[in-house]
Amino acid sequence: MKTEISTYPDGSASAVIWIVATAAAVAMWFAVYWQLEAFSAWLVSSLPVPRDSHLEEAARFFVFDAPKVLMLMTLVVFGMGVVRSFFSAERTRALLAGRREGLGNVAAAILGVFTPFCSCSAVPLFVGFVSAGVPLGVTFSFLIAAPMVNEVALGLLFALVGWRIAAIYLAFGLAVAIVAGWIIGRLHLEGWLEEWVRNVRAGQAELQPDSQTVADRIRAGIDAVRDIVGRVWAWIIIGIAAGAFIHGYVPNDLLASIMGKDQWWSVPAVVLIGVPMYANAAGIIPVVEALLGKGAALGTVLAFMMSVIALSFPEMLILRKVLTLRLIAVFAGVVATGIVAVGYLFNALF
């Protein structure tokens, strides 16, 4: 008797195939990942570099971290790509539309962690939120949380520096997004939007039925890997190379003296340095790992990371299409103040 797999009306056979294939791929991922440390040690020992030298230390960092970070990012992005299939831009707008400030800021910041938006989509997303009736402060909470407290940053922090730092970063990152958005909302700065944005008519946001299958969601995860990892892998390699240089060549005493707890000016200084830089979370975290390993203060390092991710100059240029310069200045000032406060607080607690 011949069985036709494709005749299942509910697609259950197809779903099983996709699930089994995904489980096999994840199992293979873990098998390779567990061998990375031994492989990288063997590879570095085979390189023609002086033993116990700065170059060897830098090489060990780079050869181990490059595949590790890329593999971790691939797994995290795939998993969150599947999760994100439940949160389209339309569904996100519908969930936030009509939310009052306070609880709305909290909901927006939490949604920002799980939704697929970056600086490139800031303008259409901003206009979409305004047209759906989302309050300005709630919108800013989302726009702050989406790049700063994203799943890639949290996943890599967890894998590279431990769950405690990742959890604390999540808590304080959300706090910055929630409080900064609430403050901007309390200032009632809707009149500082560009005129064409103010003229957008608020429409009714409705949740559309979600008819995606298991196969569709797995494909969404694969597409996310192709899109995100494909776009940022070069920045990751650059970040790891910078981290390798710091790890191998920068003296511990130098970084401790510049970015240590005793230097009160170090937190605002690194925030100012981070604003004009452009890097994504995956690219900056290897630098964070190297700085922490050299004795830099935790609060100072995370303040630097937050400023690079949440206050990048390219994002400000994109947002200029919808915000006046006055509103951009308020946005940057409020967020920067929150990041500096978090940096000092981290240094005081740890």
Side-chain angles (χ1 to χ4, degrees), residues 15-344:
V16 169
I17 293 173
W18 277 97
I19 292 171
V20 170
T22 302
V26 172
M28 185 179 299
W29 184 96
F30 278 103
V32 173
Y33 186 80
W34 285 332
Q35 299 301 318
L36 280 182
E37 187 171 4
F39 174 77
S40 64
W42 170 82
L43 183 58
V44 172
S45 67
S46 304
L47 297 175
V49 298
R51 301 302 165 217
D52 299 323
S53 63
H54 293 299
L55 180 58
E56 185 184 42
E57 288 296 314
R60 286 184 183 277
F61 185 97
F62 183 85
V63 171
F64 179 50
D65 265 44
K68 179 176 71 172
V69 171
L70 287 171
M71 287 186 67
L72 286 169
M73 184 179 182
T74 298
L75 183 65
V76 171
V77 169
F78 171 78
M80 294 311 302
V82 174
V83 172
R84 283 172 168 177
S85 67
F86 294 92
F87 293 95
S88 65
E90 291 75 17
R91 291 181 66 83
T92 302
R93 287 199 298 266
L95 288 170
L96 294 179
R99 299 282 182 180
R100 295 183 178 180
E101 294 175 355
L103 290 178
N105 295 109
V106 174
I110 294 174
L111 279 173
V113 178
F114 298 102
T115 42
F117 306 114
C118 60
S119 301
C120 300
S121 58
V123 172
L125 182 63
F126 196 101
V127 175
F129 277 18
V130 171
S131 65
V134 179
L136 184 63
V138 174
T139 301
F140 272 116
S141 286
F142 182 91
L143 291 179
I144 295 167
M148 184 167 67
V149 197
N150 63 77
E151 77 286 351
V152 174
L154 295 174
L156 292 180
L157 277 175
F158 173 79
L160 298 179
V161 295
W163 69 268
R164 189 173 72 158
I165 292 178
I168 296 173
Y169 180 83
L170 170 63
F172 283 99
L174 287 175
V176 170
I178 293 167
V179 174
W182 182 82
I183 291 175
I184 291 173
R186 291 291 85 200
L187 293 175
H188 301 293
L189 301 178
E190 287 77 8
W192 288 8
L193 294 167
E194 287 292 339
E195 183 176 0
W196 72 273
V197 180
R198 296 199 303 270
N199 292 334
V200 173
R201 297 176 62 183
Q204 182 68 30
E206 297 180 355
L207 284 174
Q208 300 298 320
D210 189 353
S211 59
Q212 293 190 78
T213 65
V214 171
D216 292 332
R217 301 196 191 282
I218 294 176
R219 289 193 193 99
I222 296 172
D223 290 341
V225 171
R226 290 173 178 168
D227 179 36
I228 298 175
V229 179
R231 283 190 291 111
V232 307
W233 70 266
W235 292 103
I236 295 173
I237 297 298
I238 293 172
I240 294 171
F245 177 81
I246 294 169
H247 183 79
Y249 288 94
V250 177
N252 292 2
D253 294 341
L254 176 62
L255 275 182
S257 64
I258 296 175
M259 300 181 70
K261 293 183 180 180
D262 296 333
Q263 310 303 327
W264 66 267
W265 45 266
S266 64
V267 173
V270 298
V271 172
L272 290 175
I273 292 171
V275 170
M277 298 179 65
Y278 177 72
N280 52 67
I284 201 65
I285 285 179
V287 178
V288 169
E289 181 188 16
L291 290 172
L292 292 175
K294 286 293 182 176
L298 177 61
T300 305
V301 172
L302 292 185
F304 172 69
M305 174 181 170
M306 285 181 169
S307 66
V308 171
I309 298 173
L311 288 174
S312 67
F313 184 67
E315 183 176 7
M316 299 301 167
L317 290 179
I318 295 173
L319 288 176
R320 178 62 184 89
K321 297 178 182 179
V322 294
L323 309 181
T324 62
L325 290 176
R326 292 183 298 175
L327 187 50
I328 289 177
V330 171
F331 166 66
V334 171
V335 176
T337 300
I339 292 173
V340 169
V342 168
Y344 281 129

